[in-house]
């Protein structure tokens, strides 16, 4: 199994202000699968994603990705784990405003040992004609495509997507989700997608529903 989460618990705050977000989550995802994580706001979706991505430390339990135990890693080891294995796509694109589309993607290309072919990626994502534009010159959908390309250039084994269509209209959202489906098919990338978008359920291999911090 590619991702194995066992009895994962995570809280924020201390004392009277302590909030238990994940209450013993256990789940697993096979390699190469598209998996969506759904639930209401505050249910723990993004926290689960961040724990798997090594962005949040966990209180107790186990998170194993491709045989590597994430829990208890040092910050340096976590940084190396993220650099070597993960691509992140967020709701807000986090592009560098004074870099072109191509330059934004190249920032991550230079960080990895085995990047994908940049020209091919631009072509797949429909960005070839926009590669010399700055983020402010792009539509929301084009900016998200650039963010996806930046995550994919690393050739990650795992792509973590936190509300990747949250800032987009319904048609553009559908286009982005179909694009992720194509990428999964073409590159075999394992994907975890946090979303409120119900229509994606028919496009993925697995749906994890979270309610009040539990599966």
């Amino acid at each position: 199994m590619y991702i194995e989460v066992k009895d994962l618990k995570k809280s924020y705050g201390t004392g009277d202000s302590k909030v238990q977000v994940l209450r013993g989550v256990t789940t697993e995802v096979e390699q190469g699968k598209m998996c969506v994580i759904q639930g209401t706001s505050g249910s723990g979706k993004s926290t689960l994603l961040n724990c798997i991505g090594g962005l949040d430390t966990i209180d107790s339990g186990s998170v194993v990705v491709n045989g590597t135990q994430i829990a208890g890693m040092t910050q340096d080891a976590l940084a190396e784990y993220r650099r070597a294995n993960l691509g992140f796509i967020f709701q807000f694109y986090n592009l560098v405003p004074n870099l072109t589309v191509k330059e934004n993607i190249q920032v991550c290309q230079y960080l990895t040992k085995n990047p994908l072919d940049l020209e091919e990626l631009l072509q797949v994502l429909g960005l070839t004609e926009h590669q010399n534009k700055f983020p402010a010159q792009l539509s929301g959908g084009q900016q998200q495509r650039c963010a996806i390309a930046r995550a994919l250039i690393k050739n990650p084994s795992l792509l973590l997507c936190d509300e990747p269509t949250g800032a987009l209209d319904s048609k553009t959202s559908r286009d982005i989700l179909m694009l992720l489906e194509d990428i999964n098919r073409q590159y075999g990338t394992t994907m975890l997608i946090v979303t409120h978008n119900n229509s994606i359920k028919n496009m993925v291999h697995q749906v994890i529903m979270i309610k009040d911090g539990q599966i």
Side-chain angles (χ1 to χ4, degrees):
M1 197 58 63
Y2 186 71
I3 299 172
E4 296 175 272
V5 178
K6 291 181 182 172
D7 199 25
L8 175 60
K9 295 177 182 173
K10 171 66 181 174
S11 59
Y12 295 106
T14 55
D16 292 342
S17 61
K18 185 174 180 178
V19 177
Q20 192 75 36
V21 182
L22 298 178
R23 306 166 183 269
V25 167
T26 297
T27 190
E28 50 188 29
V29 180
E30 289 181 38
Q31 188 160 14
K33 299 297 186 185
M34 283 182 82
C35 173
V36 71
I37 303 171
Q38 290 197 310
T40 57
S41 292
S43 59
K45 305 184 302 295
S46 294
T47 300
L48 175 58
L49 200 73
N50 289 342
C51 289
I52 292 170
L55 296 175
D56 273 352
T57 55
I58 69 175
D59 297 348
S60 63
S62 169
V63 178
V64 177
V65 179
N66 199 20
T68 300
Q69 174 63 258
I70 309 306
M73 273 188 172
T74 64
Q75 287 303 313
D76 286 348
L78 279 173
E80 177 57 28
Y81 157 72
R82 289 192 295 265
R83 189 189 68 78
N85 299 286
L86 304 186
F88 290 94
I89 301 170
F90 301 100
Q91 176 176 352
F92 302 105
Y93 322 114
N94 297 337
L95 301 176
V96 183
N98 59 342
L99 296 182
T100 64
V101 164
K102 187 174 183 178
E103 290 166 343
N104 263 285
I105 300 166
Q106 285 173 325
V107 167
C108 282
Q109 183 183 19
Y110 298 144
L111 292 174
T112 189
K113 293 171 185 168
N114 300 300
L116 295 177
D117 182 86
L118 177 57
E119 299 305 321
E120 179 191 339
L121 202 54
L122 288 167
Q123 187 71 41
V124 168
L125 290 164
L127 290 170
T128 304
E129 63 192 71
H130 304 294
Q131 61 183 301
N132 295 318
K133 292 180 181 177
F134 293 97
Q137 298 172 295
L138 303 174
S139 68
Q142 289 164 345
Q143 289 186 62
Q144 189 60 295
R145 285 169 183 265
C146 181
I148 292 170
R150 184 182 56 188
L152 283 176
I153 192 74
K154 292 170 62 182
N155 195 13
S157 53
L158 176 59
L159 193 61
L160 301 178
C161 312
D162 196 356
E163 295 285 3
T165 63
L168 304 172
D169 63 66
S170 58
K171 183 190 180 304
T172 310
S173 295
R174 192 165 59 250
D175 291 345
I176 292 294
L177 292 174
M178 288 172 69
L179 184 61
L180 289 174
E181 192 179 30
D182 289 343
I183 289 162
N184 170 259
R185 197 179 298 119
Q186 186 165 339
Y187 298 111
T189 311
T190 308
M191 295 184 187
L192 283 183
I193 306 167
V194 166
T195 181
H196 282 97
N197 193 324
N198 254 333
S199 61
I200 192 175
K201 285 195 292 193
N202 304 320
M203 303 168 65
V204 298
H205 303 105
Q206 181 180 352
V207 178
I208 296 172
M209 295 293 295
I210 294 190
K211 183 177 183 182
D212 299 329
Q214 294 180 306
I215 300 291

